[in-house]
Amino acid sequence: REMGTRGVGVATRHGSRRDMLATEPPVVSLAALREGDIATLATLRGALRDGPGYFTLDAEVAIPSTLVVECYDRARDFFALPLDVKACYVHTQYERETGGYVPLLEEYAYQPNTAAIVESFDTVRDLPAREIPEGATGVGPVDWPAEAPGLRTALREFYARCDEVAVDVFRAIASVCCMTEMDTARTSFERVRTETAESVAAEGGADDERADRAAGEELARFFLRSFGPTSHCSMRAMRYPGTDSDEFKAHAGVLRDVSFRAGKRGRTPPPPRRSKGGNGLSVEAVGISEHTDFECFTLLHQTAPGLELKDLAGNWRVADVYRDQSKFTIIIADMMERWTNGWLRATPHRVGLAAHERLSLVRFNGLDPDASVAPLLRFTGAGPSASSGDTGSSDSRGWVKGAKYKPVTQGEHMAESVTRAAANLEQMLDRYPKTVLTPIPRRFAQVLLVNCEDEEIALILHADGEFEGLYTGLITEVCGDETPQQAALRGGLCPLRELLGIPTGTADDSMHLAERAKLRFTGWKDVPVIEHEFTVSVNRTSMNTVKNKFSSARQTQRNHPEMDIFRWDEIPYEAMPADDRHWYPEVLDIVREAKQEANATTNGFIRFGVCPRKPRREKRWAVERKLVVGSFEFDDEEGLARHKTETIWTDGFMNDVYGDSRDHEAYGEDT
């Protein structure tokens, strides 16, 4: 079957395909949905049930257009970074599936033998590690790209506002579901809608409307019980390079031609030419191959044509583009189709290739991982109840009679779907432009104990290991699903809290642990390494206490490292790893500046200024959100061959010292 082929005049449950093509997706006002406007809900029901199966949501009241534009601007900044920088954030860096960067040709293949020519930065609900329930997946903390200032601020704000919109859409869908009896005839609600105004005001019509509203509210409460802080609600900023670009030709040139091109409405593209590997199987280039989403519904936005949607009659249709407007294409996804037993259908969609570059924003709206989804009784013919407790009669397989789908949890469905798509990608690597996927970097966290008043630093002298005879800070590898900050607090020798003598139960931010540098290393290990450099400010008494603990430990542990204290201008770089002399001074400059700011203002370490990278936008940034970033390349003899460091302004590094929102920026009319 050729992608893009459209059969004209074929009869379907929704009429002919030709008739369906004449049905445009309506633009539905979010403001009207919030008011419970009956005419707007009726329009929404018609779009979802009669065609085309999806709709456009005008969300300006919740997501200002200025925020949409800002998200795209910051995403472009990130995608413009060198590949080795973006690869530091490759998806997924932590086992909790907190998102990250997906390089070109590494998107999951939702159909076998399809190569997706897209790159993306994926994010999730950005929760502090201490707020994440044990075993939870698909929630933060997110490792934001430090080198793309503003991405964190913009996408976090966009994400939060999408949460509000998602609640409204859940409620609207619930209302739509309760407008009618679930049969093939015209609904009583539709008959009421076509009567005169006087008839609608009659007692019977009013009672029907009240009953519909009450049922809709009950169903909305049921939906929203499974939608919360740990729900599967990832978000993506995506970029599709144009087929005429050198970048596309470099990455996908061996795939020859494209599978289909985003084109005019109603046009049937020619059959694709495909690349064949040694086993004779072909791989075709696509933007993203055909699939349905795994959650309940999805918000989609794009800067240029490319997204194609399959309507209820089976036609492929080009989605509308609202480049600088807060208008989103809303499609139904798998779990809502299951809940409604197919009364609402998930929208198959794909992305074609085009000569132009295209960016998109995508927000998925799913449920808690353990939320079990099965067809509700009102959709199986067993009754009108929306309660999950009313399972009705079932057969020997445990299915509710009349149900088209078996019960499954959101987490199970996600895992099964993603595993299948990932396997499709892996099976192509022997005949793919890439033979291996981008390796996930190893990560280390290093803590420097600094005395700002006397400008002193404590360093440890290693007695064995790869740093034998060298001074470093307190360094340890980041393990499992822990964050660099958690690794820094855990410590390599003993917990940082224990080392500093901080009582159990005291907040971690009492240590003023701050991330000051994020450095990339190649040639040190078998894969790239990211080292996160933290500082902890201590006074002279605390520093001497720590040194005495090290001295005592050496009395009983022969290989325990020593600790020495140096002035900042007397650090023994000749007895340290070769990279340290290049970034230590920059980190200490930031610490010195932070100390001066703390002494100069009553507002802690925070004051605001214009971001120097984007002066035309006049955005407000916290001056002290500075970070040293650098790259270090070692040769075969472990000598430092090349290096580069710079101090940048960013809102994107992992650790928020105070855990507050003082860098939060308002979007809208006041911007």
Side-chain angles (χ1 to χ4, degrees):
R1 180 171 64 87
E2 295 172 6
M3 301 184 73
T5 300
R6 177 174 292 130
V8 178
V10 179
T12 69
R13 183 171 67 89
H14 301 274
S16 73
R17 291 186 173 181
R18 185 189 299 276
D19 292 339
M20 183 64 72
L21 284 174
T23 304
E24 295 293 334
V27 178
V28 175
S29 166
L30 178 62
L33 289 181
R34 287 178 169 179
E35 294 172 358
D37 180 72
I38 296 298
T40 302
L41 289 170
T43 298
L44 176 57
R45 182 198 177 284
L48 295 179
R49 278 289 294 162
D50 301 327
Y54 54 91
F55 65 100
T56 298
L57 182 69
D58 184 346
E60 184 69 34
V61 294
I63 307 174
S65 299
T66 50
L67 177 54
V68 175
V69 173
E70 181 74 6
C71 288
Y72 281 128
D73 285 348
R74 303 290 74 78
R76 287 188 183 91
D77 288 345
F78 172 74
F79 292 129
L81 293 172
L83 180 58
D84 64 329
V85 176
K86 292 185 289 188
C88 296
Y89 303 94
V90 67
H91 195 302
T92 287
Q93 296 158 356
Y94 313 122
E95 295 180 358
R96 275 201 278 260
E97 287 291 326
T98 57
Y101 174 59
V102 179
L104 287 168
L105 292 166
E106 296 190 24
E107 173 73 16
Y108 292 144
Y110 302 105
Q111 297 292 329
N113 303 316
T114 56
I117 316 301
V118 61
E119 62 178 338
S120 72
F121 184 81
D122 302 350
T123 183
V124 296
R125 193 177 306 283
D126 193 13
L127 297 177
R130 62 181 177 274
E131 296 181 13
I132 298 175
E134 185 176 356
T137 61
V139 291
V142 175
D143 189 13
W144 294 99
E147 297 84 354
L151 187 68
R152 172 181 181 264
T153 301
L155 293 190
R156 284 184 61 173
E157 180 70 8
F158 185 88
Y159 191 101
R161 292 179 182 253
C162 284
D163 277 344
E164 301 173 14
V165 174
V167 171
D168 294 321
V169 174
F170 269 118
R171 288 173 173 157
I173 291 175
S175 296
V176 164
C177 289
C178 296
M179 281 181 168
T180 175
E181 293 297 324
M182 305 308 150
D183 57 22
T184 59
R186 284 287 186 179
T187 67
S188 60
F189 182 84
E190 290 175 319
R191 291 195 297 272
V192 169
R193 181 163 55 90
T194 60
E195 294 173 349
T196 63
E198 291 79 11
S199 297
V200 174
E203 182 176 349
D207 288 344
D208 287 345
E209 184 178 320
R210 282 193 293 270
D212 289 342
R213 286 185 181 274
E217 290 171 359
E218 179 187 0
L219 183 57
R221 286 192 293 271
F222 171 74
F223 285 161
L224 293 172
R225 279 203 296 269
S226 301
F227 180 75
T230 61
S231 296
H232 279 284
C233 295
S234 60
M235 189 175 80
R236 311 189 73 182
M238 310 180 76
R239 174 182 169 272
Y240 301 79
T243 56
D244 291 340
S245 67
D246 292 338
E247 178 185 19
F248 179 92
K249 295 172 184 176
H251 285 85
V254 297
L255 295 178
R256 302 295 180 184
D257 208 354
V258 300
S259 63
F260 64 93
R261 293 180 182 270
K264 298 180 179 179
R265 191 183 303 272
R267 183 175 69 87
T268 300
R273 289 186 296 164
R274 302 171 178 178
S275 172
K276 291 188 177 181
N279 55 15
L281 295 176
S282 62
V283 175
E284 62 183 67
V286 298
I288 285 185
S289 53
E290 177 185 347
H291 66 286
T292 57
D293 289 338
F294 314 139
E295 298 83 6
C296 290
F297 57 88
T298 307
L299 282 69
L300 301 159
H301 195 280
Q302 59 182 348
T303 61
L307 175 64
E308 292 197 356
L309 310 167
K310 183 181 284 186
D311 66 24
L312 295 177
N315 299 307
W316 282 107
R317 303 171 61 160
V318 178
D320 292 325
V321 177
Y322 300 96
R323 182 180 177 90
D324 297 326
Q325 302 177 57
S326 183
K327 292 182 179 178
F328 298 82
T329 298
I330 311 296
I331 61 174
I332 299 298
D334 293 346
M335 302 311 272
M336 189 60 70
E337 178 174 325
R338 287 174 172 268
W339 253 337
T340 63
N341 203 32
W343 189 77
L344 296 178
R345 286 163 48 186
T347 304
H349 55 288
R350 66 193 184 190
V351 176
L353 298 175
H356 54 260
E357 180 187 65
R358 173 181 175 272
L359 274 73
S360 68
L361 297 172
V362 182
R363 160 62 190 252
F364 305 98
N365 300 278
L367 307 172
D368 294 337
D370 59 354
S372 182
V373 174
L376 301 176
L377 295 184
R378 68 169 51 251
F379 300 102
T380 63
S385 173
S387 171
S388 61
D390 295 333
T391 58
S393 58
S394 60
D395 60 20
S396 59
R397 295 171 298 172
W399 286 27
V400 173
K401 288 187 177 180
K404 301 176 183 177
Y405 308 93
K406 65 179 181 180
V408 67
T409 67
Q410 176 72 86
E412 290 168 345
H413 183 63
M414 288 284 295
E416 179 184 354
S417 302
V418 170
T419 299
R420 183 169 55 248
N424 287 338
L425 174 61
E426 292 174 1
Q427 291 168 4
M428 293 188 295
L429 292 181
D430 63 335
R431 49 199 160 85
Y432 206 55
K434 289 187 175 182
T435 57
V436 294
L437 302 180
T438 302
I440 297 174
R442 292 176 64 177
R443 291 178 175 270
F444 290 80
Q446 181 171 211
V447 178
L448 306 180
L449 301 181
V450 294
N451 170 9
C452 299
E453 293 294 339
D454 302 309
E455 295 200 347
E456 294 177 332
I457 187 171
L459 299 174
I460 62 173
L461 180 62
H462 294 263
D464 58 8
E466 67 174 313
F467 296 117
E468 181 179 355
L470 299 177
Y471 283 103
T472 72
L474 301 168
I475 189 169
T476 187
E477 186 165 5
V478 180
C479 300
D481 63 355
E482 70 181 349
T483 67
Q485 184 187 32
Q486 290 173 319
L489 293 170
R490 170 175 56 80
L493 299 171
C494 70
L496 189 59
R497 180 188 300 277
E498 178 183 329
L499 187 64
L500 297 177
I502 297 177
T504 302
T506 306
D508 288 339
D509 58 12
S510 64
M511 288 181 279
H512 298 290
L513 180 71
E515 186 174 4
R516 304 297 190 185
K518 182 180 288 187
L519 309 174
R520 308 186 305 277
F521 295 86
T522 55
W524 175 17
K525 304 289 186 182
D526 56 342
V527 296
V529 170
I530 310 299
E531 190 170 285
H532 301 257
E533 315 295 351
F534 296 87
T535 63
V536 173
S537 297
V538 297
N539 57 32
R540 174 175 288 180
T541 300
S542 296
M543 190 173 283
N544 286 328
T545 299
V546 172
K547 180 180 179 181
N548 291 336
K549 289 182 178 180
F550 271 77
S551 297
S552 298
R554 276 191 61 80
Q555 300 300 319
T556 57
Q557 302 175 46
R558 179 179 177 182
N559 292 331
H560 196 279
E562 299 180 25
M563 174 173 281
D564 293 313
I565 299 173
F566 300 93
R567 289 188 53 81
W568 291 359
D569 57 0
E570 297 176 351
I571 294 175
Y573 291 118
E574 69 281 355
M576 298 172 67
D579 56 281
D580 289 0
R581 68 173 64 247
H582 301 288
W583 60 266
Y584 263 59
E586 294 184 57
V587 164
L588 295 177
D589 283 344
I590 294 176
V591 174
R592 183 181 290 113
E593 181 181 348
K595 177 62 177 177
Q596 293 170 350
E597 290 293 337
N599 292 337
T601 177
T602 59
N603 192 29
F605 281 12
I606 305 298
R607 67 180 175 87
F608 293 101
V610 175
C611 172
R613 282 193 56 184
K614 299 292 177 184
R616 68 182 188 282
R617 302 302 298 268
E618 302 251 325
K619 298 297 181 184
R620 286 154 56 99
W621 291 71
V623 168
E624 283 67 38
R625 297 300 171 89
K626 287 185 176 181
L627 193 73
V628 177
V629 294
S631 60
F632 297 87
E633 181 180 342
F634 289 89
D635 57 27
D636 294 339
E637 298 178 356
E638 297 186 0
L640 182 58
R642 280 174 289 276
H643 73 276
K644 178 182 178 181
T645 62
E646 63 175 326
T647 300
I648 64 172
W649 302 54
T650 184
D651 65 344
F653 56 91
M654 171 72 73
N655 183 47
D656 185 349
V657 180
Y658 295 96
D660 60 19
S661 300
R662 282 181 282 183
D663 63 341
H664 174 78
E665 182 175 359
Y667 290 86
E669 295 181 356
D670 295 332
T671 302

